[in-house]
Amino acid sequence: MGFYVGMPESERRPRLQKLTTSLMPLFEQLREESLRKYSWEMGTCVPLEILGERGYITNKQTSIESISLITGGACPINTDGENPINLSAFRSLRHISWTGLQSSKEFDALSRALKNNSEGLRELRLDFVNWSEEDSFDSDASQNFIASQVLKLSADQCGIMFPALEALSLSDISLENAQKGIAYAFNFHELSSLTLHHCSGSEEFLTEVIGSGQTIRLSSLEVVWGPSDHDIDMCATLSSFLGAFQGLKDLFVSLPGPVDTLELWRSIIHHKSTLTRFVCHQRSVDLHDDSPHFEEEIDLLDLSLLPEDRAELDRSESGHPFAALNLESIGLGCVPQHLSILAPFITSPTLKILHIRKSGVDMEGHKRRSRGTSFWDLDSDEDSSTDEELGINLDLDMTGSNGSSNESTSNSGKPPNSTHSTASLDSFDTAEIQCLPTELREFTNWAFGPHGLPTLEVLAFGDFSYDGRFDVRNKLFCRHTRSTRYPGDGTSQQIHDKLVLTFRPVRENDWKLWDLIDRNTEFLKACPTDSILDD
């Protein structure tokens, strides 16, 4: 959201006007009432000429079914006390997404849109980032703002407001003092996806949902709760909530540590027949006096697993919570030495993606402030190695000098007759691998090796939130394979090359892998640590 970054306020209005002047001719080429989806994701106010009372979209494209806005207070129109957004003309909206509401008129516009489209609304995503109820425009402090001022729920109202709603995402929105009314308004009989990011009152809200008697049909649940949020036992609440229904396919959780991680993991077994994607991330406050990150929020890299917890997991693989699951994708916010917890997946026939999560703000912070190198410092030259220092041959042919093959075998157990390289590491691959920290390199080599995770297709590292904000530090790796041709049958198959590195970076032409990654975008970007808008 860098449209105004570094720009003095006096220059903001002319820049916004220039953008508007450029856009209007494009809008005017559209056929009236032909637009079905409109997005403004600039992090600024929307120009009057586009979505104001007399704006083009408001008057010429009233049949739109989806509107997505990322606005914010840092714009000349909002600071002048005006508000251009008028949504009252839209009566066919199925999807509403709005991030960065600031003024009372913006909240009024949202309220009207929800009222006018409540019967047919399928998806609602609201993020009140950088706004709190302390700014609630002289409303009654004893009332919940979203309930009384946005949803217009009366006191003790317990009726369904959105009968067709399937997906609900709320971020930085207080649910306190209105949990019961809100739980009924959003109709959990139909809701299939629920996301709660830093919403105070979430604990009581989930408890109210259980007590409401509604049949919970969620297939996706995402909860983010941080160290700076109210100190409640969200882990225990989540465990109870997960035990109240079945059918989850996606569970994405980020909690303030330390928590009882094993309790949470045991509770997900209740969804073992359906759960395919799982994220577990934890944040904490660094209280080490000698740390350069003292009193800052950082990732909790051991996931609150005590030595006795890990010993319990190691003692009985069959009793490991993950052993009962058929996960296709798992994301864990911990360093490789703690990933022995992945042991059940060595025999899993389903795991395709492993995401070693690290918050982008932490990686940037380590780069800016730490002295020396750490596991997370991917830009350091100190931890890079040459081929010889790695102890591996990065481009070794499997055939001997006389053309005979080495003694490796294919997945079918047959010795290969002849082997040629189809995926040799190029100089760019080699350079990227050499720059990896030793721990990450060794773990990735194990994961794709003969004793690692046999069905793993992609190992992701880093923070994939907000459409590539931290891409410069993110990594995507896949299995490094060779092609083997068998005599007589004209077929070939991929085998592991035990003599070379077992992994390589995902390349632009790895179409099948990119298809897998694209299908798991929601999983990779789940549970963001920071806000989409700057403070």
Side-chain angles (χ1 to χ4, degrees), residues 117-132:
N117 297 276
S118 60
E119 290 296 322
L121 195 65
R122 301 291 181 86
E123 180 177 4
L124 176 61
R125 298 183 179 276
L126 300 176
D127 189 343
F128 289 5
V129 59
N130 300 335
W131 185 89
S132 69

Side-chain angles (χ1 to χ4, degrees), residues 291-312:
S291 171
H293 316 289
F294 180 61
E295 293 187 337
E296 295 181 14
E297 287 189 12
I298 59 172
D299 289 343
L300 191 59
L301 302 181
D302 60 5
L303 291 178
S304 303
L305 291 171
L306 300 173
E308 51 266 34
D309 294 330
R310 292 193 292 273
E312 179 181 341

Side-chain angles (χ1 to χ4, degrees), residues 416-528:
N417 180 275
S418 64
T419 308
H420 62 279
S421 172
T422 62
S424 297
L425 296 177
D426 59 29
S427 59
F428 296 102
D429 293 341
T430 302
E432 183 169 349
I433 291 170
Q434 287 174 342
C435 290
L436 293 178
T438 301
E439 293 175 69
L440 179 57
R441 187 168 56 233
E442 291 179 349
F443 173 79
T444 307
N445 211 44
W446 167 83
F448 286 113
H451 305 294
L453 309 174
T455 60
L456 187 67
E457 296 184 34
V458 172
L459 188 148
F461 169 86
D463 186 335
F464 292 81
S465 62
Y466 302 133
D467 297 324
R469 176 180 293 182
F470 304 105
D471 271 0
V472 69
R473 290 178 174 83
N474 292 340
K475 304 294 180 184
L476 290 167
F477 298 115
C478 63
R479 199 175 299 276
H480 180 213
T481 59
R482 301 272 176 154
S483 179
T484 304
R485 184 171 298 278
Y486 291 92
D489 59 6
T491 63
S492 65
Q493 70 178 66
Q494 301 297 311
I495 68 169
H496 301 172
D497 186 345
K498 298 181 181 179
L499 299 180
V500 300
L501 205 65
T502 64
F503 72 98
R504 61 172 176 83
V506 175
R507 299 167 180 160
E508 289 186 5
N509 62 351
D510 288 322
W511 309 120
K512 290 184 178 180
L513 294 179
W514 283 112
D515 179 63
L516 175 65
I517 292 166
D518 290 343
R519 284 186 279 112
N520 282 275
T521 299
E522 295 297 322
F523 158 78
L524 289 169
K525 71 179 185 180
C527 301

Side-chain angles (χ1 to χ4, degrees), residues 36-38 64-68 92-97 117 120-125 166-167:
R36 291 295 175 265
K37 180 178 180 180
Y38 176 69
I64 62 172
E65 298 178 355
S66 174
I67 188 164
S68 177
S92 303
L93 290 174
R94 299 292 180 264
H95 307 271
I96 297 176
S97 176
N117 297 276
L121 195 65
R122 301 291 181 86
E123 180 177 4
L124 176 61
R125 298 183 179 276
E166 298 173 355

